[in-house]
Amino acid sequence: MSEKWIWLPDWASDLALWEDDLTDVEPSADHVFVPFSTMVEKSSDAYKIPGMSSAKTVVGWGMGALVLLKNVAKRPVGQKWILLSPFADFCDDESVWNEQNLVFMSRQIRTTVAPGVKAFAEQIAEDFGDWQDDWEKAALKMNPQVLSDGINYLVQNKVDSVVENSDDIQVVYGRMDQAVPPAQTLKLKDYLPKASFKERPKAGHWPPMLLL
C-alpha cells in the first residue's frame, strides 16, 4: 500500500495545477491536493480534513503551513511536515503586507475579486512565470467569501510560542521569494528549534522550484 501525502495550499491557490510536477517528489505515493475552500473551512481543526491523520507526509505552502503550525497539537507522532515559504506572522515587519491593507483587501474582495488577486499576483510575478496566468484564473473562480475568510485568517493568526513537537519538520524557502521574503521565514527558527531549514538559491515562491 502506497504512503499518503496531503498538500495544503497557499492563499487563493490550487496546488493541483502543478500536480504533474509536484508528484515527482515521491512518485509512488498517493497524493491528495486539498482545495483551498476545504482548508479554510477546516482551518481551526485541520485534522478533520479527510486523510490528514493517516498521511505519512503533509506539505503546507504559505497559508497552508500556517494552518499546520496552528494545529500542531493534533499532529500524529511520526508524521513528516514539509513547510514551503512559511512564516510566523504574515504581517510582520519583513512582510509587504500589513494588517490595515489586508483588512481593506478582505472587505473589498467580497464584492470585487480581481483587485485582490492582482495585488497578490504582483508579488509573485517573477516567481510564477508561465504559471501565473493559470494561478490567477483559478483564484478568480474561487468563492469571494472564502477568499475573504482566508485573508482574515492570515491577519488573525500567528505563531508566537515555541513548537516543542518540531521533529520531522523541514522548512524550505526560496532566496528569490518576493511574496514571503526569506527573512520572514527565518524568524520561525525561534519557534521550531528541532526543524531543518533549507534555502533554494534560485527559487522564488513557486512550489515545484522549492521541492525539485
Side-chain angles (χ1 to χ4, degrees):
M1 184 176 180
S2 60
E3 66 179 56
K4 179 175 287 185
W5 281 48
I6 299 285
W7 299 73
L8 300 184
D10 201 353
W11 180 78
S13 298
D14 178 7
L15 279 168
L17 291 171
W18 309 300
E19 179 175 359
D20 290 344
D21 293 316
L22 296 175
T23 54
D24 282 344
V25 176
E26 185 54 65
S28 64
D30 175 21
H31 295 270
V32 177
F33 296 95
V34 176
F36 178 68
S37 58
T38 300
M39 184 181 74
V40 172
E41 179 186 355
K42 306 292 187 182
S43 58
S44 62
D45 193 352
Y47 280 89
K48 286 188 177 180
I49 296 173
M52 278 284 290
S53 294
S54 61
K56 179 70 173 178
T57 301
V58 182
V59 183
W61 175 37
M63 179 180 167
L66 180 62
V67 169
L68 284 177
L69 290 168
K70 296 302 293 182
N71 283 269
V72 69
K74 298 182 180 180
R75 177 187 175 210
V77 174
Q79 185 178 77
K80 180 181 179 181
W81 283 3
I82 301 174
L83 308 182
L84 306 178
S85 301
F87 44 82
D89 179 359
F90 191 66
C91 300
D92 68 21
D93 54 9
E94 303 291 345
S95 177
V96 297
W97 308 98
N98 59 50
E99 291 187 13
Q100 184 177 6
N101 57 35
L102 281 177
V103 168
F104 173 79
M105 183 171 151
S106 171
R107 292 172 181 165
Q108 180 190 52
I109 212 165
R110 292 176 208 157
T111 54
T112 311
V113 171
V117 170
K118 291 289 185 185
F120 185 77
E122 288 175 1
Q123 303 302 320
I124 51 177
E126 295 182 6
D127 296 340
F128 270 56
D130 294 340
W131 294 273
Q132 183 180 339
D133 289 344
D134 291 336
W135 176 83
E136 285 193 46
K137 288 176 184 177
L140 289 170
K141 292 177 182 177
M142 293 185 182
N143 182 293
Q145 184 61 53
V146 173
L147 293 175
S148 175
D149 290 345
I151 295 170
N152 291 334
Y153 186 89
L154 291 171
V155 172
Q156 296 165 7
N157 289 274
K158 60 191 62 161
V159 179
D160 52 13
S161 60
V162 173
V163 175
E164 300 296 343
N165 183 23
S166 60
D167 299 271
D168 295 320
I169 294 179
Q170 181 180 28
V171 174
V172 186
Y173 61 98
R175 185 182 297 175
M176 311 303 291
D177 196 332
Q178 300 297 311
V180 180
Q184 193 172 8
T185 291
L186 290 173
K187 289 184 178 181
L188 275 172
K189 284 190 172 184
D190 292 337
Y191 305 113
L192 301 174
K194 298 179 183 178
S196 65
F197 284 72
K198 185 172 185 177
E199 181 187 72
R200 294 287 194 180
K202 297 181 180 180
H205 197 66
W206 183 51
M209 290 293 289
L210 290 168
L211 286 170
L212 301 174

